[in-house]
Amino acid sequence: MSADTPTDTVTSTAADVLTDVQQVPGSPKPDPMLTADGIIRRFGGLTAVDVRHLEIQRGVITALIGPNGAGKTTFFNLMTGFDTPDEGTWNFDGVAMGKLPAHQVARNGMVRTFQLTKALSRLSVIENMKLGAGHQKGENLFRGLVKPIWGAQEREIEARADALLDRFKLAHMREEFAGTLSGGQRKLLEMARALMTDPSLIMLDEPMAGVNPALTQSLLGHVKSLRDEGRTVVFVEHDMDVVRDISDWVVVMAEGSIIAEGPHEAIGANQTVIDAYLGTSHDAPLDLGEIDVEGAS
Amino acid sequence: MDWGSILAETVNKFFGVQAAYFALAAIGLNIHFGYTGLLNFGHAGFMAIGAYGLAISLQNGVPLLLAVLIGLLAATAFALLLGAPTLRLRADYLAIVTIAAAEIARILFRATEIAGFNTREYTGGSTGINGFADPFKDLNPYTGSVDLWFVSFSRNDAWTVTVGWALVLLSVLFVHLAMRSPWGRVLKAVREDEDAARALGKNAYSIKMQSLVLGGLFGALGGMIFVLGQSSVQPTPQDLGAPKTFFIWVAVILGGTGKLWGPVIGSMIFSALLQFTDLTLRGFQEEGIIPTWFMDGVQVGQVRFILMGLGLMLLMAFRPQGIFGDKRELALDVR
Ligand SMILES: Nc1ncnc2c1ncn2[C@@H]1O[C@H](COP(=O)(O)OP(=O)(O)O)[C@@H](O)[C@H]1O
Ligand SMILES: [Mg+2]
């Protein structure tokens, strides 16, 4: 993707709802889908996450950025039930999530992908997809033994899976083991598989990382299309071009806390953010020059 | 050396009682490991619980079918007990707990007294229980030994073999139906990556528990056929201890993990190979081809296990996927 893509035209409609939102950490949103309060997660002496208040607006794409080790993945884990915070409460679409195990969170409509892609290697691509569908009658052992009980539903699921495979350009790999896919194709499969659950909020942890540039554009297109179908998207990304291109709102994390929020134009110029990135070691893959240029322009 | 009789006895073992009860137990272990990725290193524990549950019940006048049911219920309870604390933890915890629990079960069956309670009255302590199998033998429809052109069984064995293989076929049908279903898909997904399954709304803990119970039931059935066949249940390591667990693992790996017929064919080949190496070595020794200063009659029994071990290493080196396995599948990096 290129930096000279005109950005405002693409995202303006969804972002409109956010124009009046204060550009400060923890700012209230007109229609929050996910609200987190006082989330703290410590690993021994290290406080990996310390989020006082965060609201994620419904129906927009929110980018979660921050240097390596800022706590983005841990925050995803906490929100989706893969890890338990030491303190804090959060609710998703009005439902308190604190006590729910990961699979219940997913069934409620908050579905995440993983930074390190999890393809189910020794299942075919289509089986990977079909697994994602919820409320399957045949997932009970006894009903599963009797195919007539679940056969019709299976055909529906398969049709939906095939449509998604087409959309994600994976149809030609349908019968292959997922383990044979390239890194980029696995990212696509993971996203498509997550969509099989029909999530209302989808959390993508570095969906573009390690993806061949030829695939990045189509992945970006897919993420935008998720929002256009009315889903809420939160994604972690290091590449500022990508963030500029598709995000309606940016949340910046550093050392476990939210340090800034706002549209990407404002974030690029934010001194706290620049300091946070400068304060980190050289392995921080975010290109500061890019932020500055964008902020100045 | 009579190659004809060696071959005949080898073929007999291929279809014999041992192959049948190995197959049943191996089908269970294949559900655990092959389909779900559960590391159960105490499968003999399930076999022992099933066997003792059956034997003790029969000994106390419980009708056969009810006795079988009691054995199965006991195995279910054992699975729940092992699974509840371990299945939320990393995979290796189950491995450790199953090793220990199987050994604890065997030692408790061997004990004469547990907490002041005389258990030997029921379990027979170190002598086990003998001659409880009459209700089973009474159902034997064969009137004499059975001779087909490729196998021959005594009257008793013919009955055990018939019931054993009938159960194996039913079990294979069951596993086939279960694994082609969406339920089976969740099982395999958990094997591949538990977190991915959870992220898609699948209750990994529950499905692993179901798998542990189900595979344990087949282990218990295998144990039952084993002790009914010899109408004796003994708390020895050879019969119901770690060596037995190891043999079942060999059968599963030999056949190919996660394959429908793998555990069955693996069990048949393993049983036949044990017999073949034993008879051949003995034959060589009687002929003087192997001098007694090198290996005596007692040692032959041990050496065949060395040979089996060697064979297993060669298998792992040249066909790690087993007989039914798919090399392509094995080559995929898991995760
Ligand atoms: N399971 C864990 N045990 C100990 N420390 C952890 C664990 N997971 C993450 N951390 C630490 O928490 C911090 C945040 O990590 P992470 O959430 O992965 O950051 P990010 O995704 O923003 O790069 C890092 O310092 C990391 O080393
Ligand atoms: Mg991360």
Side-chain angles (χ1 to χ4, degrees):
Chain A
M1 78 252 79
S2 53
D4 47 31
T5 318
T7 53
D8 293 343
T9 49
V10 197
T11 54
S12 54
T13 42
D16 276 350
V17 291
L18 294 165
T19 42
D20 295 333
V21 172
Q22 273 184 293
Q23 297 174 8
V24 295
S27 65
K29 309 290 184 306
D31 183 11
M33 175 123 223
L34 177 69
T35 309
D37 272 297
I39 306 285
I40 296 183
R41 177 66 167 113
R42 300 186 194 91
F43 294 112
L46 170 88
T47 304
V49 167
D50 181 1
V51 170
R52 253 163 249 142
H53 187 79
L54 178 67
E55 294 183 10
I56 301 289
Q57 168 67 20
R58 185 190 308 270
V60 305
I61 300 179
T62 303
L64 182 59
I65 68 167
N68 269 337
K72 306 179 293 294
T73 297
T74 306
F75 184 69
F76 269 28
N77 289 343
L78 292 171
M79 290 300 104
T80 50
F82 279 86
D83 193 0
T84 318
D86 297 297
E87 288 169 38
T89 57
W90 67 108
N91 75 65
F92 167 69
D93 213 2
V95 184
M97 292 276 123
K99 301 276 184 301
L100 290 189
H103 70 274
Q104 292 284 9
V105 173
R107 286 178 194 181
N108 271 287
M110 172 158 49
V111 173
R112 57 90 57 89
T113 65
F114 294 88
Q115 183 170 353
L116 299 170
T117 327
K118 293 184 185 296
L120 304 165
S121 298
R122 286 176 295 170
L123 292 184
S124 67
V125 167
I126 184 73
E127 289 292 303
N128 263 267
M129 292 295 291
K130 288 195 279 187
L131 178 75
H135 306 290
Q136 296 193 38
K137 293 177 192 147
E139 284 185 1
N140 169 291
L141 172 58
F142 300 107
R143 276 178 298 186
L145 295 174
V146 189
K147 194 168 179 184
I149 295 179
W150 49 269
Q153 190 190 27
E154 179 85 352
R155 280 190 296 281
E156 269 168 42
I157 291 172
E158 196 162 318
R160 206 148 61 77
D162 276 324
L164 275 169
L165 285 180
D166 265 341
R167 179 172 146 198
F168 281 76
K169 308 267 186 300
L170 285 171
H172 62 293
M173 302 298 281
R174 189 180 193 274
E175 303 301 334
E176 304 296 321
F177 282 128
T180 63
L181 299 185
S182 72
Q185 287 173 323
R186 285 178 198 219
K187 291 271 180 200
L188 284 170
L189 175 61
E190 201 178 10
M191 203 185 293
R193 194 176 63 192
L195 286 181
M196 285 298 291
T197 67
D198 194 18
S200 44
L201 170 63
I202 183 162
M203 305 182 82
L204 308 167
D205 199 349
E206 305 205 14
M208 324 289 169
V211 174
N212 150 5
L215 267 178
T216 319
Q217 264 317 325
S218 81
L219 256 169
L220 290 181
H222 291 310
V223 175
K224 282 188 232 176
S225 69
L226 299 183
R227 175 195 57 201
D228 300 339
E229 322 176 325
R231 303 182 204 276
T232 307
V233 180
V234 181
F235 76 110
V236 171
E237 183 53 56
H238 283 304
D239 189 326
M240 282 311 289
D241 286 335
V242 170
V243 171
R244 256 194 302 274
D245 191 3
I246 64 170
S247 63
D248 304 310
W249 192 258
V250 181
V251 174
V252 189
M253 264 183 105
E255 293 172 7
S257 307
I258 311 285
I259 57 165
E261 275 191 50
H264 60 80
E265 299 87 350
I267 291 299
N270 185 311
Q271 194 55 44
T272 327
V273 176
I274 295 169
D275 288 347
Y277 276 95
L278 276 177
T280 59
S281 57
H282 307 292
D283 63 0
L286 188 134
D287 189 338
L288 250 185
E290 291 280 353
I291 294 188
D292 267 346
V293 171
E294 181 67 16
S297 61
Chain B
M1 220 165 118
D2 184 357
W3 286 106
S5 85
I6 291 182
L7 192 67
E9 291 196 45
T10 302
V11 172
N12 239 32
K13 282 285 178 182
F14 198 74
F15 296 101
V17 176
Q18 179 177 283
Y21 88 76
F22 266 38
L24 279 171
I27 286 170
L29 188 60
N30 193 40
I31 293 175
H32 288 160
F33 178 69
Y35 289 110
T36 325
L38 298 177
L39 289 172
N40 167 14
F41 288 125
H43 207 44
F46 287 103
M47 299 173 75
I49 303 259
Y52 269 94
L54 174 83
I56 294 172
S57 305
L58 287 181
Q59 192 76 336
N60 288 282
V62 175
L64 182 62
L65 281 184
L66 189 59
V68 170
L69 195 68
I70 289 174
L72 294 178
L73 284 177
T76 304
F78 189 58
L80 295 174
L81 201 68
L82 298 188
T86 52
L87 289 179
R88 285 190 208 280
L89 307 174
R90 269 199 342 248
D92 21 357
Y93 286 89
L94 179 69
I96 296 164
V97 166
T98 48
I99 295 175
E103 200 58 4
I104 290 171
R106 193 177 63 78
I107 288 167
L108 288 182
F109 284 132
R110 204 183 57 189
T112 53
E113 182 188 296
I114 299 170
F117 184 73
N118 181 0
T119 52
R120 189 191 192 157
E121 223 174 282
Y122 299 94
T123 61
S126 58
T127 48
I129 310 172
N130 299 291
F132 55 84
D134 287 347
F136 176 70
K137 287 181 179 169
D138 290 346
L139 298 172
N140 191 343
Y142 299 108
T143 49
S145 64
V146 173
D147 274 291
L148 301 176
W149 63 271
F150 60 108
V151 285
S152 64
F153 294 112
S154 69
R155 176 169 181 262
N156 261 335
D157 280 358
W159 178 226
T160 317
V161 162
T162 306
V163 173
W165 286 116
L167 284 176
V168 168
L169 290 181
L170 285 175
S171 305
V172 168
L173 176 67
F174 177 89
V175 172
H176 164 71
L177 293 177
M179 295 310 161
R180 71 168 185 181
S181 76
W183 182 84
R185 184 158 62 215
V186 178
L187 219 61
K188 291 176 230 166
V190 165
R191 172 191 71 195
E192 295 301 303
D193 195 311
E194 192 180 323
D195 282 345
R198 292 163 74 211
L200 295 168
K202 311 303 170 190
N203 187 343
Y205 176 74
S206 159
I207 204 96
K208 285 196 288 184
M209 189 63 99
Q210 292 172 37
S211 165
L212 191 65
V213 170
L214 192 64
L217 290 179
F218 287 106
L221 272 183
M224 290 182 200
I225 293 298
F226 169 45
V227 298
L228 283 176
Q230 60 182 28
S231 53
S232 155
V233 50
Q234 303 290 328
T236 58
Q238 288 76 16
D239 272 12
L240 293 168
K244 191 52 57 82
T245 295
F246 171 74
F247 285 176
I248 306 297
W249 269 97
V250 173
V252 170
I253 292 169
L254 193 64
T257 56
K259 299 294 166 204
L260 186 61
W261 289 99
V264 179
I265 303 298
S267 297
M268 296 170 89
I269 292 178
F270 182 59
S271 298
L273 274 180
L274 275 182
Q275 180 76 345
F276 178 77
T277 46
D278 190 48
L279 293 176
T280 311
L281 284 172
R282 274 181 212 293
F284 282 159
Q285 209 195 17
E286 277 158 24
E287 304 271 306
I289 298 170
I290 302 176
T292 35
W293 57 260
F294 184 68
M295 192 195 300
D296 65 29
V298 181
Q299 288 167 331
V300 161
Q302 317 292 318
V303 169
R304 65 177 173 152
F305 288 120
I306 299 180
L307 287 180
M308 293 299 298
L310 216 60
L312 201 61
M313 283 193 237
L314 290 174
L315 180 81
M316 287 296 101
F318 295 106
R319 202 177 163 79
Q321 71 274 35
I323 293 162
F324 280 96
D326 181 345
K327 189 145 198 175
R328 208 168 55 108
E329 196 172 323
L330 198 81
L332 296 173
D333 70 303
V334 180
R335 105 191 28 234

